[in-house]
Amino acid sequence: MTDCIFCKIADGRIPANIVGRNDAAVAFRDLNPQAPTHVLVIPTMHLSGMAEMTTDESERAVARTLRLARDIAAELGLAENGYRLVINTGRDGGQSVFHLHVHLLAGRRLAWPPG
Ligand code: AMP
Protein backbone atom coordinates (compact mmCIF):
# COMPACT_ATOMS: atom_id res chain seq x y z
CA MET A 1 0.00 0.00 0.00
CA THR A 2 1.56 3.29 -1.14
CA ASP A 3 1.26 5.40 1.99
CA CYS A 4 1.58 2.74 4.65
CA ILE A 5 4.72 3.17 6.76
CA PHE A 6 5.01 -0.55 7.53
CA CYS A 7 4.59 -1.49 3.84
CA LYS A 8 7.48 0.91 3.18
CA ILE A 9 9.61 -0.84 5.81
CA ALA A 10 8.66 -4.26 4.43
CA ASP A 11 9.79 -3.38 0.91
CA GLY A 12 12.81 -1.29 1.91
CA ARG A 13 11.51 2.16 0.94
CA ILE A 14 12.29 3.41 4.45
CA PRO A 15 14.98 2.05 6.76
CA ALA A 16 14.40 -0.03 9.85
CA ASN A 17 16.48 -2.22 12.10
CA ILE A 18 15.46 -5.53 10.53
CA VAL A 19 15.97 -8.60 12.70
CA GLY A 20 14.54 -11.32 10.46
CA ARG A 21 12.25 -12.35 7.63
CA ASN A 22 10.43 -15.34 6.24
CA ASP A 23 8.49 -15.78 3.01
CA ALA A 24 5.50 -13.75 4.28
CA ALA A 25 6.63 -11.60 7.21
CA VAL A 26 9.35 -9.27 8.40
CA ALA A 27 10.56 -8.34 11.89
CA PHE A 28 12.20 -5.09 12.97
CA ARG A 29 13.00 -3.21 16.19
CA ASP A 30 10.34 -0.84 17.50
CA LEU A 31 11.47 2.82 17.39
CA ASN A 32 10.06 3.46 20.84
CA PRO A 33 10.79 0.30 22.82
CA GLN A 34 8.56 -0.52 25.80
CA ALA A 35 10.76 -3.37 27.08
CA PRO A 36 14.45 -4.34 26.80
CA THR A 37 13.48 -6.30 23.67
CA HIS A 38 10.67 -4.81 21.57
CA VAL A 39 10.36 -6.15 18.04
CA LEU A 40 7.47 -5.63 15.61
CA VAL A 41 6.57 -8.52 13.35
CA ILE A 42 4.38 -7.76 10.33
CA PRO A 43 2.96 -9.59 7.35
CA THR A 44 4.48 -8.24 4.12
CA MET A 45 0.94 -8.24 2.68
CA HIS A 46 -1.01 -5.16 3.72
CA LEU A 47 -3.74 -5.97 6.22
CA SER A 48 -4.98 -2.96 8.17
CA GLY A 49 -5.84 -5.13 11.16
CA MET A 50 -7.43 -8.35 12.34
CA ALA A 51 -10.73 -7.52 10.60
CA GLU A 52 -9.01 -7.95 7.23
CA MET A 53 -7.93 -11.49 7.99
CA THR A 54 -10.77 -12.91 5.88
CA THR A 55 -9.15 -15.12 3.24
CA ASP A 56 -6.96 -18.22 3.19
CA GLU A 57 -4.11 -16.02 1.94
CA SER A 58 -4.46 -13.49 4.76
CA GLU A 59 -4.89 -16.24 7.38
CA ARG A 60 -1.69 -17.82 6.14
CA ALA A 61 0.09 -14.45 6.27
CA VAL A 62 -0.89 -13.98 9.91
CA ALA A 63 0.14 -17.54 10.76
CA ARG A 64 3.53 -16.97 9.10
CA THR A 65 3.83 -13.71 11.05
CA LEU A 66 3.32 -15.57 14.33
CA ARG A 67 5.77 -18.22 13.20
CA LEU A 68 8.39 -15.54 12.57
CA ALA A 69 7.69 -13.97 15.98
CA ARG A 70 8.31 -17.34 17.63
CA ASP A 71 11.48 -17.94 15.59
CA ILE A 72 12.88 -14.48 16.37
CA ALA A 73 12.15 -14.99 20.07
CA ALA A 74 14.11 -18.24 19.95
CA GLU A 75 16.98 -16.66 17.98
CA LEU A 76 17.22 -13.80 20.47
CA GLY A 77 17.39 -16.29 23.36
CA LEU A 78 14.02 -15.31 24.83
CA ALA A 79 12.25 -18.64 24.82
CA GLU A 80 13.47 -19.84 28.20
CA ASN A 81 12.44 -16.81 30.27
CA GLY A 82 9.44 -16.06 28.07
CA TYR A 83 8.01 -13.17 26.15
CA ARG A 84 4.69 -11.57 25.22
CA LEU A 85 3.05 -11.27 21.79
CA VAL A 86 0.48 -8.46 21.47
CA ILE A 87 -1.74 -7.37 18.57
CA ASN A 88 -3.29 -4.02 19.41
CA THR A 89 -6.55 -3.76 17.48
CA GLY A 90 -8.60 -0.62 16.90
CA ARG A 91 -8.92 2.48 19.06
CA ASP A 92 -9.57 0.86 22.42
CA GLY A 93 -6.89 -1.72 21.71
CA GLY A 94 -4.33 1.06 21.29
CA GLN A 95 -3.59 0.52 17.59
CA SER A 96 -1.84 3.52 16.04
CA VAL A 97 -0.40 2.04 12.83
CA PHE A 98 -3.00 0.44 10.57
CA HIS A 99 -0.90 -2.36 9.16
CA LEU A 100 -1.39 -5.45 11.30
CA HIS A 101 1.62 -6.02 13.56
CA VAL A 102 2.61 -8.25 16.44
CA HIS A 103 4.59 -6.70 19.27
CA LEU A 104 7.22 -9.08 20.66
CA LEU A 105 8.08 -7.84 24.15
CA ALA A 106 10.62 -9.39 26.48
CA GLY A 107 13.56 -8.86 28.78
CA ARG A 108 11.72 -7.93 31.96
CA ARG A 109 8.79 -9.25 34.00
CA LEU A 110 5.76 -7.82 32.19
CA ALA A 111 2.79 -6.66 34.22
CA TRP A 112 -0.66 -8.21 33.87
CA PRO A 113 -3.28 -7.00 33.24
CA PRO A 114 -1.92 -4.39 30.83
CA GLY A 115 -2.98 -0.79 31.40
P1 AMP B 1 0.48 0.19 17.79
O1 AMP B 1 0.25 1.31 18.76
O2 AMP B 1 0.14 -1.16 18.33
O3 AMP B 1 -0.17 0.45 16.45
O4 AMP B 1 2.05 0.13 17.57
C1 AMP B 1 2.74 0.85 16.61
C2 AMP B 1 4.18 0.76 16.97
O5 AMP B 1 4.95 1.14 15.84
C3 AMP B 1 4.64 1.66 18.12
O6 AMP B 1 5.18 0.87 19.16
C4 AMP B 1 5.67 2.58 17.46
O7 AMP B 1 6.72 2.87 18.34
C5 AMP B 1 6.12 1.75 16.29
N1 AMP B 1 6.64 2.47 15.14
C6 AMP B 1 6.05 3.48 14.47
N2 AMP B 1 6.81 3.85 13.41
C7 AMP B 1 7.90 3.04 13.42
C8 AMP B 1 9.06 2.92 12.59
N3 AMP B 1 9.25 3.73 11.52
N4 AMP B 1 9.98 1.99 12.91
C9 AMP B 1 9.80 1.19 13.99
N5 AMP B 1 8.73 1.25 14.80
C10 AMP B 1 7.80 2.17 14.53
Side-chain angles (χ1 to χ4, degrees):
M1 196 184 186
T2 333
D3 285 331
C4 169
I5 187 165
F6 285 179
C7 285
K8 290 180 182 174
I9 288 174
D11 65 18
R13 278 178 287 160
I14 64 170
N17 188 343
I18 306 282
V19 295
R21 286 182 182 275
N22 65 21
D23 61 315
V26 58
F28 52 95
R29 302 269 179 193
D30 196 292
L31 269 185
N32 183 25
Q34 301 300 313
T37 297
H38 189 172
V39 170
L40 297 175
V41 192
I42 66 169
T44 51
M45 120 183 252
H46 182 83
L47 299 171
S48 63
M50 290 299 295
E52 288 193 357
M53 196 185 71
T54 57
T55 61
D56 287 351
E57 186 190 15
S58 57
E59 283 186 13
R60 180 182 182 280
V62 174
R64 295 294 292 159
T65 300
L66 290 173
R67 168 69 185 262
L68 181 60
R70 186 202 60 187
D71 290 349
I72 295 290
E75 282 166 25
L76 295 179
L78 305 170
E80 187 176 341
N81 284 349
Y83 54 87
R84 184 171 295 167
L85 302 179
V86 175
I87 302 177
N88 293 330
T89 303
R91 185 195 60 190
D92 284 358
Q95 185 176 9
S96 63
V97 176
F98 288 84
H99 180 126
L100 191 150
H101 49 281
V102 179
H103 295 260
L104 165 58
L105 297 151
R108 65 172 168 81
R109 191 64 67 89
L110 297 163
W112 191 265

